[in-house]
Amino acid sequence: MSKGTLRKGELLYEGKAKKVFATDHPDLIIQEFKDDATAFNAQKKGQIHNKGVINNELASHFFQYLETFGIQTHFVEKLSEREMACKRLEIIKIEVVMRNIAAGTLVKRYGFEEGVELPMPITELYLKNDALGDPLINDDHAVVLNLASPEEITFLKQTAWKINAILRQYFLSKGLKLVDFKLEFGRHNGLILLGDEISPDTCRLWDRDTNKKLDKDRFRFDLGEVEDAYCEVRNRVLG
Ligand code: TMP
Ligand code: ASP
């Protein structure tokens, strides 16, 4: 497949940060990255100028980078500034969060001091359900809720662990600490592929030397310089 041969079809789904379109190829969809930003289960809404363009660039880059390590992803091709062709997934309704440094709900829920390096990465599973506020779940919840089989859950956790090891090292080489991040996966032709996106919307990224927050927390907590942070990450990663 090459640019121009894939025709954009009907809007299948509009999420908080992306629109998903059908295509004339039954196995492929197009995800279009928006500038819209939400936080706290969409209670806070806004826009981050050019975020869609930057997140598409970054996510395309990270998917291709992870593929070189044998991580299978839904990425097919970056089609335009805001559009990415992807394999169509049956989404697994689990959000996998990996944490290296205490921040966000780890601080709120368990009393960790923000910024403390964890002695080992923590993996968490959340039920992907906005109406329920994406509650924290364990493996048994996931199986009993029929979200995934025990074998699939093991695969998700092992893959998330591997992605963390790869990206943590990579970001450090760009002067960034990978504090934590969220992954989503889906099924495609008998395989489980990494889906969604990897970007400053879904990762916490801090400057290695100053711990300056360079991610969506600047929007979530009104820290200012939101656009600048996305540009900074883009420039450090893509040069
Ligand atoms: P948390 O500390 O708020 O639980 O977030 C953990 C990581 O997951 C953080 O890098 C941000 C990311 N995340 C999302 O991508 N989407 C979400 O809806 C939430 C709550 C967090
Ligand atoms: N994107 C999420 C929402 O609006 C939350 C977040 O990223 O903080 O619900």
Side-chain angles (χ1 to χ4, degrees), residues 3-226:
K3 288 187 179 87
T5 61
L6 194 64
R7 220 169 273 139
K8 203 168 178 177
E10 59 166 326
L11 178 68
L12 294 174
Y13 169 79
E14 177 155 7
K16 287 177 278 201
K18 292 186 289 293
K19 290 180 185 172
V20 177
F21 294 89
T23 69
D24 53 349
H25 190 305
D27 268 353
L28 300 177
I29 56 98
I30 291 173
Q31 54 179 18
E32 184 185 304
F33 290 74
K34 305 192 288 184
D35 286 350
D36 297 349
T38 64
F40 314 118
N41 208 7
Q43 288 177 66
K44 180 181 170 78
K45 288 186 179 142
Q47 290 232 322
I48 301 172
H49 176 67
N50 230 26
K51 171 170 85 75
V53 174
I54 292 175
N55 284 1
N56 190 25
E57 276 187 281
L58 286 169
S60 296
H61 174 73
F62 292 131
F63 284 136
Q64 289 174 88
Y65 183 66
L66 289 172
E67 293 268 2
T68 69
F69 290 86
I71 305 286
Q72 293 185 292
T73 80
H74 71 157
F75 179 80
V76 176
E77 189 181 13
K78 184 171 179 286
L79 296 171
S80 69
E81 269 199 330
R82 290 177 185 273
E83 293 170 316
M84 179 193 285
C86 298
K87 292 174 184 155
R88 191 191 273 261
L89 298 180
E90 180 206 330
I91 294 293
I92 297 173
K93 293 198 174 299
I94 297 173
E95 299 189 351
V96 184
V97 168
M98 292 295 308
R99 301 182 185 271
N100 298 307
I101 295 172
T105 53
L106 203 64
V107 172
K108 243 197 268 165
R109 195 180 285 133
Y110 304 105
F112 282 91
E113 187 189 332
E114 187 182 65
V116 167
E117 282 249 2
L118 305 174
M120 63 171 214
I122 292 178
T123 312
E124 294 174 343
L125 306 180
Y126 291 85
L127 172 62
K128 188 173 157 60
N129 183 322
D130 282 343
L132 296 175
D134 295 346
L136 182 69
I137 57 171
N138 66 24
D139 298 27
D140 288 351
H141 292 115
V143 172
V144 173
L145 282 166
N146 232 346
L147 306 174
S149 68
E151 295 73 25
E152 286 178 325
I153 292 161
T154 301
F155 178 82
L156 297 187
K157 288 162 68 171
Q158 282 177 350
T159 306
W161 187 279
K162 201 166 150 187
I163 291 170
N164 183 45
I166 296 165
L167 290 184
R168 198 177 180 183
Q169 192 59 39
Y170 179 78
F171 278 118
L172 212 51
S173 76
K174 308 288 181 184
L176 294 164
K177 289 183 191 168
L178 178 57
V179 173
D180 55 34
F181 61 101
K182 185 256 309 181
L183 300 172
E184 295 184 27
F185 296 85
R187 304 181 187 92
H188 178 90
N189 290 342
L191 293 172
I192 293 183
L193 307 181
L194 176 65
D196 193 46
E197 67 180 272
I198 298 176
S199 72
D201 271 15
T202 61
C203 302
R204 283 198 175 93
L205 299 165
W206 294 357
D207 179 82
R208 183 188 51 201
D209 302 320
T210 65
N211 280 350
K212 182 174 179 181
K213 295 181 164 106
L214 294 169
D215 56 64
K216 196 174 155 190
D217 269 355
R218 302 205 74 83
F219 167 80
R220 291 190 186 98
F221 301 107
D222 298 316
L223 302 178
E225 300 174 88
V226 184

